[in-house]
Amino acid sequence: MSFANPYFEDVRTKPEVIDPPQDEDMMDVSESVSDPTRNGGKPNVAVSSSVRELLECPVCLNVMYPPIHHCSNGHTLCSGCKPRVHNRCPTCRHELGNIRCLALEKVAASLELPCTYQTFGCAGIYPYYSKLKHESQCAYRPYNCPYAGSECMVVGDIPFLVAHLKDDHKVDMHNGSTFNHRYVKSNPQEVENATWMLTVFSCFGHYFCLHFEAFQLGMAPVYIAFLRFMGDDNEVKNYSYSLEVGGNGRKMVWQGVPRSIRDSHRKVRDSFDGLIIQRNMALFFSGGDRKELKLRVTGRIWKEQ
């Protein structure tokens, strides 16, 4: 959807996790709705669609958290968007000032909302002020596409992403916990920050992503291979893997724990959590006249007992 009002441009941001306000009046409301002995045993008020619309910022369309501002005509705005519209109400163009909408903030304190990821399976209902904190850690929150060769913005659950990698990115899929891959490049002097290879392995009822990439480490071009687990951190600790590369009677071995795809490809790469091969060593392993890269990377994945 596009908007004609310039104030609506480039202001859709993800809200930060915000703790409940410490204002005395606000805390009284929050306590009264969470204590069954003080409100007749009634739970927090479930949010209706009309109230949800009242709590939606008209600019970024995110749910508003205190401080909630409003203009002299009563139009509300979240605190994150207020400086971006240059202190002018995007609805009526009146000056916003520093007027807090305390009534709406008190209403918000009495509400419970479903998790944003309920379509992915989360059935939780959470108090207004703890909803964002839950969602930042929700086990049902979707994963980002692990493909690193492009800025892919696709998100989804694991089965969806596996199909996406196969159909849209044409990633090689393999069954088994061992691998033997050969990486060849005709001109290894050209090292760019680009992913060369992504291969997905299915074993132990899960999927693992093997990355192999050339990148610049300071002034030195290097190669790195590492494994990512298509799942959460609490599951990945059950698995280990090893990588081996060699040639001309020499070899290098790496052993570690896969990283969850919750960690971005760049985060794993920049932490050097994998098998790192300097270019001179890689060319030595390749043999010949050292003008062509020919690396064979072998490895295996196993489940810890």
Side-chain angles (χ1 to χ4, degrees):
M1 180 181 295
S2 61
F3 298 90
N5 191 325
Y7 288 130
F8 287 92
E9 297 179 0
D10 302 323
V11 293
R12 295 192 178 189
T13 58
K14 188 175 182 179
E16 298 179 355
V17 176
I18 301 175
D19 293 327
Q22 298 304 310
D23 180 88
E24 184 176 347
D25 292 337
M26 291 293 293
M27 292 307 294
D28 286 344
V29 173
S30 179
E31 290 170 1
S32 67
V33 297
S34 60
D35 186 350
T37 64
R38 297 180 61 182
N39 64 7
K42 294 181 181 179
N44 287 7
V45 180
V47 66
S48 67
S49 60
S50 58
V51 174
R52 187 178 302 178
E53 290 175 2
L54 288 175
L55 292 170
E56 184 179 272
C57 174
V59 176
C60 66
L61 304 184
N62 288 319
V63 174
M64 293 185 290
Y65 289 84
I68 300 174
H69 297 276
H70 71 93
C71 72
S72 58
N73 289 325
H75 303 124
T76 54
L77 187 73
C78 76
S79 58
C81 290
K82 183 173 180 283
R84 299 174 185 174
V85 298
H86 309 291
N87 207 36
R88 290 282 178 181
C89 175
T91 304
C92 66
R93 305 298 297 274
H94 281 200
E95 186 174 350
L96 285 169
N98 291 306
I99 308 173
R100 291 274 295 275
C101 189
L102 297 179
L104 190 57
E105 291 179 3
K106 289 185 177 182
V107 169
S110 68
L111 300 178
E112 290 186 335
L113 296 163
C115 175
T116 296
Y117 306 123
Q118 62 180 165
T119 56
F120 290 94
C122 183
I125 304 292
Y126 299 92
Y128 189 81
Y129 290 116
S130 61
K131 176 175 176 285
L132 286 182
K133 183 175 181 180
H134 159 76
E135 290 174 353
S136 69
Q137 305 168 349
C138 179
Y140 292 94
R141 69 192 190 278
Y143 298 88
N144 294 319
C145 173
Y147 190 79
S150 64
E151 296 297 327
C152 183
M153 302 301 293
V154 170
V155 299
D157 58 17
I158 298 303
F160 174 82
L161 288 180
V162 169
H164 165 68
L165 288 171
K166 180 180 179 181
D167 298 336
D168 298 328
H169 293 299
K170 310 303 179 186
V171 170
D172 289 336
M173 301 283 177
H174 296 274
N175 293 318
S177 58
T178 61
F179 43 88
N180 186 337
H181 284 281
R182 191 176 184 219
Y183 302 98
V184 179
K185 186 173 177 63
S186 59
N187 187 0
Q189 305 302 319
E190 297 179 359
V191 177
E192 301 175 352
N193 288 326
T195 298
W196 283 16
M197 183 73 72
L198 171 61
T199 308
V200 174
F201 295 90
S202 174
C203 56
F204 307 109
H206 294 282
Y207 293 92
F208 299 81
C209 297
L210 175 64
H211 296 266
F212 183 80
E213 178 180 347
F215 75 106
Q216 203 80 18
L217 181 58
M219 298 297 293
V222 298
Y223 308 100
I224 184 171
F226 57 87
L227 198 71
R228 287 202 291 166
F229 174 75
M230 297 187 72
D232 278 319
D233 287 322
N234 61 337
E235 298 176 283
V236 72
K237 62 185 179 182
N238 298 321
Y239 300 92
S240 297
Y241 75 103
S242 64
L243 297 172
E244 181 177 313
V245 62
N248 286 331
R250 312 290 195 279
K251 70 178 180 180
M252 296 175 63
V253 179
W254 163 269
Q255 181 173 321
V257 176
R259 296 281 287 272
S260 167
I261 60 171
R262 295 289 188 199
D263 290 335
S264 69
H265 158 269
R266 182 178 294 275
K267 180 178 180 180
V268 179
R269 188 199 71 183
D270 291 350
S271 66
F272 316 126
D273 193 2
L275 175 65
I276 298 179
I277 314 160
Q278 300 289 337
R279 183 171 65 184
N280 288 339
M281 182 63 71
L283 292 176
F284 175 76
F285 288 154
S286 299
D289 56 8
R290 299 167 64 92
K291 293 183 178 179
E292 185 177 37
L293 181 72
K294 296 179 180 179
L295 283 181
R296 185 175 297 279
V297 177
T298 61
R300 71 183 184 95
I301 307 165
W302 66 91
K303 188 172 184 179
E304 298 291 352
Q305 300 298 322

